[in-house]
């Protein structure tokens, strides 16, 4: 009986072949798992939005039955007609646009100026001023004292009540100041040697270099200003011409809920099919309102998305 022995060279060859097969299989397995996971993530992310679109395009009376997923069962534009039926919605839209643009521009510019000042080590009051701003993140006077402050500043029923209170943000200041801290001091020192003043350094060097973090902060500020409605309810509710889009949509949703409070009407009892299709319900009108309010931000986001991750990560690193 022959004794077959594997030489060391043969064993090494077998090991190499196994290693080569393993090196070919592992990337395939990883790519397959990665593709499946990403497809699942996309589906989970997009489904709520697509479902909202389907509900907004479906007849309100039919939506109550449920079962609407990615495709409307009874197509209708009645929900959007109900949203845009009021002539005030267009004026409110432009008020919201003006408010969002001005709030974002002023907040970014002024907060960046403050952040640059507090990032300078030669500024002797930078630590106490920073502490004062940080305290405002944890302590607030409350709603009633805030209302009386706005009243004493003569900002009630004024467009500037949307702008002035939001010009500086303590959280945004901390993020931008941290980002400015990553910029080499040699750039500022070289500019000073060349005779540049602080304001010129800020405009020509600091501000352009902060583009990633500023785009991130701009998105936060713009979304907050666009979605805000409570300040319109508190401070400008007596002047219709200063109403914002979100406040008008909130009033529309509230009136829709009140008009559909009758359970027989909501269920379609005693209502013919043509009337049922034209009906709107709180669920369908809420879906239409969500789409109308989301579209402007969805249009702006792709232009800022490339800066979003970089700005957020770098700006959040501690000094």
């Amino acid at each position: 009986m022959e004794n077959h022995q594997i030489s060391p060279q043969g064993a090494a060859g077998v090991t190499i072949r196994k290693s080569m097969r393993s090196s070919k299989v592992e990337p395939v397995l990883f790519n397959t798992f990665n593709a499946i996971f990403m497809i699942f993530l996309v589906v989970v992310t997009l489904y709520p939005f697509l479902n909202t679109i389907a509900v907004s395009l479906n007849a309100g009376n039919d939506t109550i039955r449920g079962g609407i997923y990615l495709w409307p069962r009874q197509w209708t534009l009645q929900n959007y007609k109900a949203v845009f039926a009021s002539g005030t919605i267009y004026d409110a839209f432009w008020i919201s646009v003006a408010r969002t643009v001005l709030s974002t521009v002023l907040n970014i510019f002024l907060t960046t100026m403050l952040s640059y000042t507090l990032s300078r080590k030669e500024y002797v009051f930078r630590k106490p001023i920073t502490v004062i701003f940080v305290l405002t993140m944890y302590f607030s006077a409350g709603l009633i004292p805030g209302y009386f402050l706005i009243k004493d500043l003569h900002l009630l029923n004024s467009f500037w009540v949307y702008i002035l209170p939001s010009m500086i943000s303590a959280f945004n200041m901390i993020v931008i100041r941290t980002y400015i801290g990553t910029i080499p001091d040699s750039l500022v020192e070289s500019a000073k040697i060349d005779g540049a003043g602080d304001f010129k350094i800020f405009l020509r060097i600091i501000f352009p270099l902060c583009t990633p973090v500023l785009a991130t902060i701009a998105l936060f500020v713009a979304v907050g200003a666009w979605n805000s409605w409570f300040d319109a309810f508190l401070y400008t509710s007596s002047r219709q011409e200063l109403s914002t889009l979100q406040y008008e949509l909130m009033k529309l949703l509230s009136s829709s809920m009140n008009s559909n409070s009758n359970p027989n009407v909501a269920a379609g009892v005693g209502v013919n099919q043509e009337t049922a299709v034209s009906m709107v319900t709180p669920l369908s009108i809420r879906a239409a309102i969500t789409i109308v309010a989301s579209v402007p931000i969805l249009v702006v986001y792709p232009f800022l998305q490339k800066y979003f991750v970089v700005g957020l990560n770098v700006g959040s690193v501690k000094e």
Side-chain angles (χ1 to χ4, degrees):
M1 183 175 180
E2 297 181 358
N3 186 14
H4 297 282
Q5 295 181 352
I6 300 177
S7 64
Q9 293 82 3
V14 172
T15 304
I16 292 175
R17 286 193 294 273
K18 290 183 178 179
S19 176
M20 291 177 63
R21 286 196 297 268
S22 177
S23 63
K24 293 180 180 178
V25 172
E26 288 180 0
V28 174
L29 292 176
F30 175 78
N31 291 334
T32 302
F33 173 79
N34 191 41
I36 294 174
F37 176 75
M38 294 305 296
I39 292 174
F40 173 77
L41 189 63
V42 168
V43 170
V44 171
T45 304
L46 287 181
Y47 174 75
F49 185 72
L50 297 178
N51 176 256
T52 302
I53 294 177
V55 171
S56 69
L57 292 172
N58 195 73
N61 187 70
D62 181 69
T63 302
I64 300 176
R65 294 166 48 197
I68 305 297
Y69 300 107
L70 297 177
W71 200 257
R73 193 162 44 226
Q74 294 185 14
W75 285 82
T76 181
L77 294 177
Q78 188 64 33
N79 300 314
Y80 289 97
K81 291 179 180 178
V83 170
F84 292 102
S86 174
T88 59
I89 204 76
Y90 300 99
D91 295 333
F93 173 80
W94 290 114
I95 289 292
S96 290
V97 169
R99 168 194 180 156
T100 301
V101 172
L102 283 176
S103 295
T104 303
V105 171
L106 289 176
N107 185 290
I108 290 299
F109 186 75
L110 297 178
T111 304
T112 307
M113 287 186 65
L114 175 65
S115 303
Y116 172 65
T117 303
L118 297 180
S119 68
R120 296 297 91 198
K121 297 179 180 179
E122 61 270 19
Y123 183 51
V124 294
F125 296 110
R126 69 188 189 101
K127 288 187 177 180
I129 293 179
T130 301
V131 171
I132 292 173
F133 274 97
V134 170
L135 288 176
T136 63
M137 298 173 59
Y138 298 97
F139 301 99
S140 173
L143 181 62
I144 295 177
Y147 178 86
F148 282 113
L149 174 63
I150 295 297
K151 182 179 179 181
D152 291 340
L153 293 175
H154 303 288
L155 292 177
L156 288 181
N157 296 316
S158 169
F159 175 77
W160 294 105
V161 75
Y162 299 142
I163 309 299
L164 297 181
S166 61
M167 287 196 303
I168 296 292
S169 169
F171 175 79
N172 295 344
M173 181 271 294
I174 294 174
V175 174
I176 298 174
R177 190 197 65 173
T178 305
Y179 187 92
I180 293 176
T182 64
I183 299 175
D185 292 334
S186 57
L187 293 176
V188 177
E189 294 172 359
S190 299
K192 288 184 177 180
I193 292 174
D194 293 337
D198 286 326
F199 197 72
K200 189 174 184 179
I201 292 173
F202 170 75
L203 291 179
R204 298 290 183 87
I205 298 177
I206 301 299
F207 201 81
L209 291 177
C210 290
T211 300
V213 71
L214 294 184
T216 305
I217 298 300
L219 184 62
F220 288 157
V221 176
V223 171
W226 180 260
N227 289 334
S228 180
W229 65 269
F230 191 62
D231 49 0
F233 170 71
L234 285 178
Y235 306 129
T236 62
S237 57
S238 60
R239 290 188 63 183
Q240 178 62 43
E241 64 271 20
L242 293 178
S243 182
T244 61
L245 177 64
Q246 303 295 338
Y247 184 47
E248 289 299 312
L249 295 178
M250 187 276 297
K251 291 193 296 184
L252 176 62
L253 179 60
S254 178
S255 63
S256 173
M257 294 178 66
N258 292 332
S259 63
N260 287 273
S261 59
N262 188 333
N264 290 330
V265 174
V269 177
V271 181
N272 58 43
Q273 184 176 2
E274 182 179 356
T275 305
V277 172
S278 65
M279 287 176 55
V280 295
T281 61
L283 183 61
S284 62
I285 201 71
R286 183 174 60 195
I289 287 172
T290 301
I291 299 301
V292 170
S294 302
V295 166
I297 295 298
L298 293 177
V299 172
V300 173
Y301 180 76
F303 297 99
L304 302 177
Q305 189 270 340
K306 63 180 180 179
Y307 301 107
F308 189 79
V309 176
V310 176
L312 190 60
N313 287 342
V314 177
S316 62
V317 177
K318 294 182 67 176
E319 294 183 51

